[in-house]
Structure formats: structure tokens, C-alpha cells
Amino acid sequence: MDIKKYSNNFLILIFLTITLYFSIKNLVVFLDFHVKNSSYTYVTRWGSCGSEDGQFKSITVAVDSDCNVYSADHLNNRIQKFDSSGKFIKKWGSYGYGRGLFNDPRGIAVDREGSIYIADTGNNLIQKFAQNGNFITQWEERGFGNGQFLGPESVCVDREGYVYVSDGGGKIHLSSIHKFTSEGKFLCKWIVYYNRNKIYSHRLSDISVDGNGNIYVLYWNEVPFSIPYYGVSTCIYKFDRKGNFLKKWEPEHASGNNPTGMTLDRKGNLFICYLNKNFVYKYNPSGKLITELIPEDANQWRFNHPSDMAVDIKGNVYVADFSNYFIQKYSPVTDNKKFSGYSYICRFFK
């Protein structure tokens, strides 16, 4: 028996096996990237820079149960309403103080009944409107106390109709979350700060609420009272509906970026947009990256300063593309039959 010959053949077999293994692993990485990024497909976009109907100078977005899209424009000081395809329906608001007037409206949310809530930052108040834009009520009181505002920036509404408002993002005082009834009655408040086992936020970017009434707070720059610059830290804080702290985590691939908008879908997945890096990521509830939304134009490598997002009941995602002055719509892809063998390969090689 030629021991040397069999030894050489054995080494060749080992080499081919290792080569095949890593080739399949690379294939899995390739398929994983394309399957993930094919989970959403570009549908349409609308808008341009200006003050005419359907135009924007700044954009934050929200959707109602009928998949209508609402935008708050803090530079035009108005609210616009569109259908899910981007067809303009109506607008209301102008600069000023009073019913239906705005001064830097930055936050917008819609409850299950279709009422629209606006965080009117410059006027330090919350305004509530019906679907047709008719004024319903408002609440305001300037200060640091319970139910008082010094620059409310974000607003969200849970399934029971309770309204949560973030106040003081980026200001010299501590950021806080206020909870109200749908008519503006103050219920409770908690501070968001960081000090050893406590929490501090120099720049609270956005808030959102899941189906169980838990509140998610998005912030960047954990260093107290430092000069903020893009991307010191990005964290998600989770509280229960009474303001009790539940957990804190940093989403994958978030370090070094400037998060500006966050929303949740019906399954509790988080969508976060990063303004200075032009990323829009989807995470599972634990902060693990699931997918990235890809712009429709291949020449436009990514978005151009995405600032906010909203997800409707069908899972469609609407991205406010700040520096392009339009809203982009993406729909989830449900047919992945061409990748049916992918999951079986991944079970062994991932």
C-alpha cells in the first residue's frame, strides 16, 4: 500500500472540504444580504421643496388606520394629509399662536379614532385635531413642572388613547416624558437622565409606543451636558406605561450615527433612521438588525438625511427624506419562494 499516495489524497480531500465549506458560508452571507434587503420593495415617492400643496420644507410623518399619511412641516408651519399613494387631500395651519396656528410643529401622532396630535414646539403646547383638520382642543403650560413644557418635540399615542409627550430634547434641562389623557389631563411624568444605574439623555430624539403600552425612547449622546456632536452614542430606553424603567440597549450598527426618527410596527420591530449617515434600519425588539431599506435610485447611494418614519397597519413604511423634500413608500415582500432552500442551508452554516 502506498501510504504517501493515500496521505496526499487525504490532504487534498480535507482541502476541498474546507474550501467547499467556506464557499457555501460566503454564499450564505451573500444570500442573507439579498434576502434581507429584498424584504421591502420601493413603491413610490412624492413631494418637492416649497410651500405649495404636496411640497415640503421639513417633514415628520404619521399614519392613521385607513393608511392616510400626515406630515408636520415645522418650516412651513402646517399639516398636510395624503392618501397612501401620495395623493394630496388637504392641509391646515400657518404661523402664529392660537387654534390651528403653529410655531415650529415637530411631533405628530394619530390615535385609533383618527384624531391627530401635534407637538407645537415653539408654542410649547399640544394641539388635537379631527381627521378633517378641525380643531378639537389643546393643552399648554410653560415650565418645568408636571404637565408643563419647554419645547415638546415628540408625541405618540397608545391603543388606549393615552398621549405621551417628550419635552426638552437638546435643551439645558433634563428631558422628560409626560403622560396625558386624550383630552389633555396630566397623569404622570418621568425624567430621562443618566447617572450610574439611572438614566440621562442629553439629546432625546424620538419616542414611540408598542402594542402593550411600553414606551421606547431614542436618544444619542450619553455624556451629560457635553457639546453634542454626531454619534457619541445611540441607545433605546424602554419604560412601562407608568414610567418604570425596563431595559436599555444599543442597536446594532448604531454607534457613531445620529438617530433622528423611530417607529414600531405591529410586531414590535423598531425602525430607526440615521440622519448624518443616511441609513434606515429595521431591528427586532431586542435591537438586532433585521434589514435595511434601500432607495429606489441606484445612483442615490442611500437616503439624503432621512428624518422620520411611520408604518401603517399593512406594514408599509413611509420615510421622510429631509434633504430630498419627499416621502418614500416601501412595502414588505411576502413572496420569497425563490429563496426556499436558503433557510435550510442557513440552519447548518449560520
Side-chain angles (χ1 to χ4, degrees), residues 95-153:
Y95 176 77
Y97 177 83
R99 296 184 174 187
L101 301 177
F102 304 108
N103 179 9
D104 194 18
R106 292 181 177 267
I108 183 168
V110 185
D111 67 18
R112 301 183 73 179
E113 303 301 321
S115 299
I116 300 104
Y117 300 81
I118 307 298
D120 193 354
T121 306
N123 285 326
N124 292 299
L125 56 84
I126 302 298
Q127 295 198 54
K128 179 181 178 180
F129 299 89
Q131 280 186 315
N132 59 7
N134 290 340
F135 176 86
I136 298 177
T137 188
Q138 69 181 38
W139 57 92
E140 60 175 309
E141 189 174 349
R142 182 180 175 83
F144 294 93
N146 294 338
Q148 297 180 331
F149 304 124
L150 281 173
E153 290 194 342

Side-chain angles (χ1 to χ4, degrees), residues 191-201 219 222 237 239 245 248:
I191 303 296
V192 184
Y193 59 96
Y194 183 87
N195 183 6
R196 294 184 179 177
N197 295 325
K198 298 180 181 179
I199 304 166
Y200 176 94
S201 169
Y219 87 95
E222 188 174 3
Y237 288 150
F239 302 88
F245 173 72
K248 165 190 171 183

Side-chain angles (χ1 to χ4, degrees), residues 151-187:
E153 290 194 342
S154 300
V155 58
C156 64
V157 188
D158 67 19
R159 290 183 177 180
E160 297 180 5
Y162 294 113
V163 182
Y164 301 84
V165 180
S166 70
D167 181 57
K171 304 298 190 301
I172 61 172
H173 62 289
L174 297 177
S175 300
S176 57
I177 309 297
H178 300 251
K179 181 178 180 179
F180 302 88
T181 67
S182 60
E183 298 305 317
K185 179 182 177 181
F186 173 79
L187 297 175

Side-chain angles (χ1 to χ4, degrees), residues 46-70:
W46 66 90
S48 59
C49 181
S51 300
E52 300 299 321
D53 294 352
Q55 293 185 321
F56 310 101
K57 287 187 177 179
S58 64
I59 317 171
T60 51
V61 293
V63 294
D64 64 21
S65 58
D66 295 322
C67 299
N68 295 308
V69 182
Y70 299 83

